[in-house]
Amino acid sequence: MKLLHLDSSILGDSSASRQLSHAVVDAWQAVEPDVRVIYRDLASDALGHLSAASLVAAGTPAELRDAAQRHEAELSESTLDEFLAADAIVIGAPMYNFALPSQLKAWIDRITVAGKTFSYTENGPQGLAGSKKVVIVSTSGGVHAGQPSGAAHEDYLKFVLGFVGISDIQVVRAEGLAYGEEPRAAAMKAAEQQVGELFAIA
Ligand SMILES: Cc1cc2nc3c(=O)[nH]c(=O)nc-3n(C[C@H](O)[C@H](O)[C@H](O)COP(=O)(O)O)c2cc1C
């Protein structure tokens, strides 16, 4: 089984989502030893934003692309292929300014591709990305789950994954992390328990 592990926190070693996403991957490997992990750090190895140049590169026949267009097209294609090949995905998704990190949004922009991961039919949009399992690790300084303030964060991520056809989505959430040392420790402990429950190793 191929497991794509994404982190997007800009907070390095003090990142809550990195700690928890690694706990999820460790737990997954403990119950399924044949898991092959592909790790992508979207913060330290950031994808460029989808741009006019990206679209022009994609629309230019391979043999006519210049070096910059080849690089751009390769970036889009390899990111999409890596996503499509994954059986499972663990996404570290911190909240920054009530939204996902722009680095994670840049990844979403590369994998949400008409004709590849979704299509529009006469009955409306159809997801094409197959039966992947996804675990979202959602972290935030405040408490936003189920609130309008969480719409552009966890809710958006769930929506866009659903749009490309993924329905098996679990969330490990640590929220209220900015409320002080004790609440942070309690939130992290609760999230680690969620990981244990998810993989029945609590
Ligand atoms: C640039 C930045 C913006 C943030 N914006 C918000 C926010 O809008 N709402 C919130 O509840 N927490 C916010 N936080 C707090 C983070 O969500 C919190 O620190 C969380 O642990 C981030 O996950 P990470 O540690 O994996 O990076 C922000 C933190 C940073 C660094």
Side-chain angles (χ1 to χ4, degrees):
M1 182 185 96
K2 281 188 199 156
L3 189 158
L4 177 59
H5 176 186
L6 303 174
D7 272 325
S8 60
S9 170
I10 59 172
L11 298 183
D13 289 345
S14 48
S15 157
S17 61
R18 283 175 186 273
Q19 184 180 323
L20 293 169
S21 75
H22 280 81
V24 171
V25 172
D26 288 350
W28 214 321
Q29 284 181 302
V31 294
E32 282 193 48
D34 75 328
V35 169
R36 203 181 117 222
V37 179
I38 298 111
Y39 182 64
R40 189 179 271 273
D41 188 334
L42 296 170
S44 69
D45 190 13
L47 294 165
H49 287 299
L50 191 72
S51 64
S54 322
L55 301 183
V56 170
T60 302
E63 66 279 10
L64 298 180
R65 286 175 188 146
D66 62 23
Q69 288 172 332
R70 275 200 298 278
H71 172 76
E72 194 54 35
E74 148 68 15
L75 199 63
S76 290
E77 283 162 21
S78 60
T79 306
L80 178 62
D81 289 349
E82 193 173 70
F83 168 71
L84 288 172
D87 303 298
I89 311 178
V90 176
I91 307 177
M95 173 184 270
Y96 295 150
N97 301 316
F98 301 99
L100 296 172
S102 56
Q103 292 90 341
L104 182 52
K105 178 60 166 60
W107 178 82
I108 291 169
D109 287 341
R110 302 277 176 170
I111 60 103
T112 311
V113 182
K116 300 283 188 186
T117 54
F118 73 92
S119 64
Y120 285 113
T121 70
E122 55 191 22
N123 299 319
Q126 191 186 6
L128 305 173
S131 54
K132 301 176 193 308
K133 288 172 188 280
V134 173
V135 178
I136 296 172
V137 174
S138 169
T139 55
S140 56
V143 174
H144 307 284
Q147 307 292 321
S149 56
H153 178 231
E154 196 183 302
D155 292 350
Y156 165 73
L157 185 52
K158 280 196 264 189
F159 177 82
V160 79
L161 291 169
F163 184 75
V164 297
I166 299 171
S167 57
D168 189 344
I169 302 173
Q170 304 284 345
V171 179
V172 170
R173 185 183 304 118
E175 54 187 351
L177 294 170
Y179 288 2
E181 254 176 56
E182 274 181 32
R184 182 184 173 92
M188 290 299 283
K189 192 169 173 215
E192 272 154 20
Q193 273 166 0
Q194 289 169 45
V195 176
E197 283 159 20
L198 217 49
F199 296 94
I201 55 167

